[in-house]
Amino acid sequence: MAPHLDREGPLLPILHAVQANLGCVPESAVPVIAKRLNLTAAEVHGVVSFYHDFRKAPAGRHVVKICRAEACQSVGATALTERALERLGIGWGGTTPDGGVTVEPVYCLGLCACGPAAMVDGRVVGRLDEAKLDAILEEARA
Amino acid sequence: MTDGLTIYLPRDSAAKALGADEVAAALAREAETRGIELNLIRNGSRGMVWLEPLVEVERDGRRLAYGPVAPSDVPALLDGTLACHGTVEDIPFFARQTRLTFARCGLIDPLDLDAYRAHGGLVGLERAAGMTGAEIVEEVTESGLRGRGGAGFPAGIKWNTVLQAAGPRKYIVCNADEGDSGTFADRMIMEGDPFTLIEGMAIAGLGVGAEQGYVYLRSEYPDAIEVMNAAIRIAREAGVLGADVLGAGRAFDMEVRVGAGAYVCGEETSLLNSLEGKRGVVRAKPPLPAIEGLFGKPTVVNNVLTLATVPVIFEKGAAHYAGLGLGRSKGTMPIQIAGNVARGGLFETAFGMPLGELVHEVAGGTASGRPVKAVQVGGPLGAYMPPEKFDTPFAYEEFDGQGGLIGHAGVVVFDDTADMLALARFAMEFCAVESCGKCTPCRIGAVRGVETLDRIAEGDGAAVDLLADLCETMKDGSLCALGGFTPFPVMSALTHYPDDFAGQKEAAE
C-alpha cells in the first residue's frame, strides 16, 4: 500500500496492487485498507464489490476472458462460447474442477474487426474458431 | 540509417491477436540464418485489420506492404517473392481517407519521440506554449471540434467553462474507458501514437490552467496501458511534461489510472467518482464537471480522440480543421468498421459519408458474403440501422434525425443470420449487468426488459406494448446514457425488424 498512499484517490490503485499480489482482494484485506485510508470497511467493501475486476477468491491458474459483445456476436461468438463452456462443464465466471482455467465474460477487448476475440492471461487472441479455442483451453488446463 | 533491412511490424493489439509477435520471432530467426542485419520497428497499426499482421519492408526508400503475413510467409517475404500490396498509401481503403488524428499512427515507432517530432509532433504544443489560455481555448472553439466520446458537445465551450472557473487546482481528465463494442480507435491511438494524446492533454492544461491530468484507461487494454505509461515517462524526461512544459514556464504532468471493468465508468461523472476511489456511481448534473469535477475542482473531461485531435488543430490551424466536415459536424471522424465485414478497420474521413458507402464500398460488405441485415452504429447504446437508412450521412445531427446516434463512431455489421430479438435482449441484459444502480428505471427496468423480451420470444404479443412503455420510462428516468440509451438498440430492433419479434408466436399458432 505504501507507494500509493500519497496519490490522489489511492483506493483503486491499492486494490489493483492487492489483487496483483494475492490473486484476489480477500475480505480480510478490507478493514486493513479502510484503516489506512480513514474510510469505513463498508465504504471499501462497496468499492470492491462494485467493480467486475476484483475477485473474492483467486481464479484458476489461467484466466480466459472471452468477449460477449455485439461485434463478436456478429461473427458467431455466442455459439462458440456456449459450446466451449458446455465442454468444460462450467458457466461464465466458473473455474474447472482441476483449478486449471477460469472463463470470464468480457464486454469488448477493442478487437472488434478481428473477432471473436479473447484474452488469455493478458495475451490477446483474435478470429477464434472452435479449433483455436479448444487448443487454448486445452493448453490452459495442461 | 543502418545498412540492414528495415521492417515495420505493428505492436498494436489487433495485430498481436492475429499473430504479429509470432511473425516477429520468425523474422528474427530467418534474418539471423541469412546473416541479414534486421532493423525491426514495431509501429502502430495502419488500421487495416483484415490485412494484419501487415508488414512493411523498406526498399529503395519506399515502404512496401505485405499482409496478412503468417510466420511461414517470412522466407518469401525476405526473398521479395510474397504478393505485395504496393505501399500502404496505394491500398484503396487507405488512399480514400483523410487522416488528421491518425496521421502518424502506424507510420512510426510509438515510443520514438524523435520520430514523432520528425512527423509534425509537438508543433502544436510549441505554438500553444506561446499563446495565452484564452487564445488556446478560442482556437479550439473556432475549430468546431466536438466531443468524440459520443455526446458531441463542443470542446471549446467546455474548455472555456473550466478556464473561467476559479482555480488554482484544475484537472484534465481523459476518458479512455472505451467500452463500446465496435470501437477501438482510442486503443489504436494510445498504442500507436501515444504522444499525440499527451500533447493534446498538455495543450488543454495550458489552455484552461490545469497542471494535472489523468488518463482513465480501462483494464481490458493492457497493451495500451503499457505504451501510455512508457510514453508519459519519455515525455517527462524530455521536458514535454513536468514543471516547465517545453520551457514555457508553465507546468503540466499526467498519469494513467487503470479502470476495473465497469462499463458505466465511461460515463464522465461515474468516471470521476471512480478516479476518486469510489464506486463508479453516476452523479446528477448540475453541477457540471467543468465547474465541480474531480475532487470537486473544475475539470475538463474529454475522450481520447477529442484530446488526440487537438495537436493537429494547433499544427494546421483551426480554419483548416473547420473546413472539413458537414454542417455542425466539423473536421474528421475516425470511424471504426467492425463485426461481420470483409474489410474491417479504422477509416478516418470527413463527416458526411453515407452509411451505405461505408458498409458496402469501404468495408466491402459482410465477411460471410451474406446480405447485410443491420448495422449498429455507436456502440451497445446505438440504434440498429436497416439498409433502408443507408443513405444517412455519417454526422451528429443527421443520425439523430434518423433516430440513431454516431456515438464513438463504431459501426458493427450483421448479416442476415442475426437474430434481432436476441440482440435486443442482450442490450437489456448488458444494461442490467452494468447498471451502476443509481436510477431505478435502469437498475430494475433492464431486468424487467430481459423478462419482457423473453415473454415476447415465447409468443406473448401483448408484451410488445409493455416493452415500448418500459423503454419510455428508462429514457426519461435515467440520469446517464446507459439507462437512457439502452432503449435505442431495443426499440430500433423492434421497429425495423418486427418479424424477428413475431416468429415464435407464429410458430406456436
Coordinates of all heavy atoms in Angstrom, one line a residue, chain A residues 111 113-117 125-129 132, chain B residues 17-18 49-52 68:
Chain A
L111 N -11.1 -5.5 -30.1 CA -10.6 -6.3 -31.2 C -11.8 -6.6 -32.1 O -12.0 -7.7 -32.6 CB -10.0 -7.6 -30.7 CG -8.8 -7.4 -29.8 CD1 -8.4 -8.7 -29.1 CD2 -7.6 -6.7 -30.5
A113 N -12.7 -5.8 -35.1 CA -12.6 -6.1 -36.5 C -11.9 -7.4 -36.7 O -11.7 -7.8 -37.9 CB -11.9 -5.0 -37.2
C114 N -11.6 -8.1 -35.7 CA -11.0 -9.4 -35.8 C -11.5 -10.4 -34.7 O -10.8 -11.1 -34.1 CB -9.5 -9.3 -35.8 SG -8.8 -8.5 -34.3
G115 N -12.8 -10.3 -34.5 CA -13.5 -11.2 -33.6 C -13.8 -12.6 -34.2 O -13.6 -12.7 -35.4
P116 N -14.3 -13.5 -33.4 CA -14.4 -13.5 -32.0 C -13.1 -13.3 -31.3 O -12.1 -14.0 -31.7 CB -15.1 -14.8 -31.6 CG -15.7 -15.3 -32.9 CD -14.8 -14.7 -34.0
A117 N -13.1 -12.6 -30.2 CA -11.8 -12.2 -29.5 C -11.8 -12.7 -28.1 O -12.8 -12.9 -27.4 CB -11.6 -10.7 -29.5
V125 N -6.1 -12.7 -28.4 CA -6.2 -13.6 -29.4 C -7.4 -13.2 -30.3 O -8.5 -12.9 -29.7 CB -6.5 -15.1 -28.9 CG1 -6.3 -16.1 -30.0 CG2 -5.6 -15.4 -27.7
G126 N -7.3 -13.2 -31.6 CA -8.4 -12.8 -32.5 C -8.8 -14.0 -33.4 O -8.2 -15.0 -33.4
R127 N -9.9 -13.7 -34.1 CA -10.5 -14.7 -35.1 C -10.6 -16.1 -34.5 O -10.1 -17.0 -35.1 CB -9.7 -14.7 -36.4 CG -10.0 -13.4 -37.1 CD -9.9 -13.5 -38.6 NE -9.8 -12.2 -39.2 CZ -8.7 -11.6 -39.7 NH1 -7.6 -12.3 -39.7 NH2 -8.8 -10.4 -40.1
L128 N -11.1 -16.2 -33.3 CA -11.3 -17.5 -32.7 C -12.2 -18.4 -33.5 O -13.2 -17.9 -34.0 CB -11.9 -17.4 -31.3 CG -11.0 -16.9 -30.2 CD1 -11.9 -16.8 -28.9 CD2 -9.9 -17.9 -29.9
D129 N -11.9 -19.7 -33.6 CA -12.8 -20.6 -34.1 C -12.8 -21.8 -33.1 O -12.1 -21.8 -32.1 CB -12.5 -21.0 -35.5 CG -11.1 -21.5 -35.7 OD1 -10.5 -22.0 -34.7 OD2 -10.5 -21.4 -36.8
K132 N -9.3 -23.2 -32.5 CA -8.4 -22.3 -31.8 C -8.7 -22.2 -30.4 O -7.9 -22.3 -29.5 CB -8.5 -20.9 -32.5 CG -7.1 -20.3 -32.8 CD -7.5 -19.1 -33.7 CE -6.3 -18.1 -33.8 NZ -6.6 -17.0 -34.7
Chain B
A17 N -3.1 -10.0 -31.8 CA -4.1 -11.0 -31.7 C -4.2 -11.9 -33.0 O -4.7 -13.0 -32.9 CB -5.5 -10.4 -31.5
L18 N -3.6 -11.4 -34.1 CA -3.6 -12.1 -35.3 C -2.2 -12.7 -35.6 O -1.9 -13.1 -36.7 CB -4.1 -11.3 -36.5 CG -5.6 -10.8 -36.3 CD1 -6.0 -9.8 -37.3 CD2 -6.5 -12.0 -36.3
V49 N -7.4 -3.9 -40.5 CA -7.2 -5.0 -39.6 C -7.3 -6.3 -40.4 O -6.7 -7.3 -40.0 CB -8.3 -5.0 -38.5 CG1 -8.3 -6.2 -37.6 CG2 -8.1 -3.7 -37.7
W50 N -8.0 -6.3 -41.5 CA -8.2 -7.6 -42.3 C -6.8 -7.9 -43.0 O -6.6 -9.1 -43.4 CB -9.3 -7.5 -43.3 CG -8.9 -6.8 -44.6 CD1 -8.5 -7.4 -45.8 CD2 -8.8 -5.4 -44.9 NE1 -8.2 -6.5 -46.8 CE2 -8.4 -5.2 -46.2 CE3 -9.1 -4.2 -44.1 CZ2 -8.3 -4.0 -46.8 CZ3 -8.9 -3.0 -44.7 CH2 -8.5 -2.9 -46.0
L51 N -5.9 -7.0 -43.0 CA -4.5 -7.3 -43.5 C -3.5 -7.5 -42.5 O -2.3 -7.8 -42.8 CB -4.1 -6.1 -44.4 CG -4.9 -5.9 -45.7 CD1 -4.3 -4.7 -46.5 CD2 -4.9 -7.1 -46.6
E52 N -3.9 -7.5 -41.2 CA -2.9 -7.7 -40.1 C -2.6 -9.2 -40.0 O -3.6 -10.0 -40.1 CB -3.5 -7.1 -38.8 CG -3.7 -5.6 -38.8 CD -2.3 -4.9 -38.7 OE1 -1.3 -5.5 -38.7 OE2 -2.4 -3.6 -38.7
P68 N -2.2 -10.3 -45.1 CA -1.7 -10.8 -43.8 C -0.5 -11.7 -43.9 O -0.6 -12.6 -44.8 CB -2.9 -11.5 -43.1 CG -3.8 -11.8 -44.3 CD -3.5 -10.9 -45.4

